[in-house]
Each structure stands twice: as C-alpha cells, then as structure tokens.
Amino acid sequence: QVQLAESGGGSVQAGGSVRLSCAASGNTYNMYCMAWWRQRPGKEREGIASIYIAGGRSTYYADSVKGRFTISQDNAKNTLDLQMNSLKPEDTAMYYCAAVSAGSNGYCYPMEAQGITSWGKGTLVTVSS
C-alpha cells in the first residue's frame, strides 16, 4: 500500500509556472511507475506524464503538455515533481499523483486509470487569462 500526498497547487496567470510535488510513503518498494494525471472540468481524468522508477527512468508525456511540463522523481526522498511552464487556461484542473506497483494491470505508458494502484487526493491548479 502506497500513500501519496500532493502539494503546490494554486492560482497562476496564463504564461506562468507552477511546480507540483508528491510525497510517497508506505509500501513503495514494488512501485515501478509514477505519474501525474489531471481532470479538467467536464472531462475524464487523463494521464499527462509518467516516469519509470528504475532502469533508464524513461519519461512519457501527453501531447497536450509535451514541451511545457517536466516530470521528475527522487528515489532517495520518495518524491515526485511536476514542473509546469507556459501554463494555459485549459490547464486548469485537479492534478493527481499516481503510482503503479508490480502485479497490477497497469502500464507506465500508455497510462490507464484502471492500472493505477495508488492515487493522491489531488491539488487544484487554476490558470487565469
């Protein structure tokens, strides 16, 4: 069992930047992928960035955020970050930290909601124009 806690959400003007953080605790040793998801108003939750915990630590991004968002993970601190730059009003959403552990049906890429084994409670990011 993994517990995830997001922080760093808030209000920002279009074109600005926000850095989100996620602290992982509990049974993290079987965790092989961590990801950021978001849910925009009126839309389904979508995976926007993921990273393999071991090996080459490959990263993946949804087209909507590629080139603007950067995911990173620190094994020593058990934290996951998301640097969000050049924010747009359509980036307004609840952002969720997620983890996939061994034995699940989940893949690091492509991301599938049913494969996520642990979810954070979310942090709201509001981008105004």
Side-chain angles (χ1 to χ4, degrees):
Q1 296 180 356
V2 176
Q3 291 78 48
L4 304 172
E6 304 95 336
S7 63
S11 181
V12 64
Q13 193 172 11
S17 299
V18 169
R19 187 175 183 87
L20 303 181
S21 295
C22 171
S25 60
N27 187 19
T28 62
Y29 64 89
N30 281 331
M31 190 170 61
Y32 67 89
C33 177
M34 296 190 75
W36 286 98
W37 289 62
R38 71 182 182 187
Q39 187 164 19
R40 294 177 287 177
K43 298 184 178 181
E44 293 187 348
R45 193 174 299 186
E46 60 181 339
I48 57 171
S50 62
I51 182 170
Y52 280 103
I53 301 302
R57 299 183 182 276
S58 299
T59 58
Y60 304 92
Y61 298 94
D63 288 341
S64 59
V65 306
K66 191 175 298 182
R68 300 187 298 121
F69 293 8
T70 302
I71 188 171
S72 60
Q73 192 267 338
D74 189 329
N75 274 337
K77 297 180 179 180
N78 256 351
T79 56
L80 179 76
D81 290 344
L82 183 69
Q83 179 65 46
M84 304 189 292
N85 298 328
S86 301
L87 286 164
K88 306 173 182 179
E90 52 263 42
D91 292 320
T92 295
M94 186 72 74
Y95 285 77
Y96 299 90
C97 180
V100 183
S101 297
S104 77
N105 293 322
Y107 295 93
C108 207
Y109 181 83
M111 289 171 278
E112 298 176 311
Q114 63 268 29
I116 302 298
T117 54
S118 300
W119 289 100
K121 293 182 178 180
T123 185
L124 181 64
V125 175
T126 301
V127 184
S128 60
S129 60

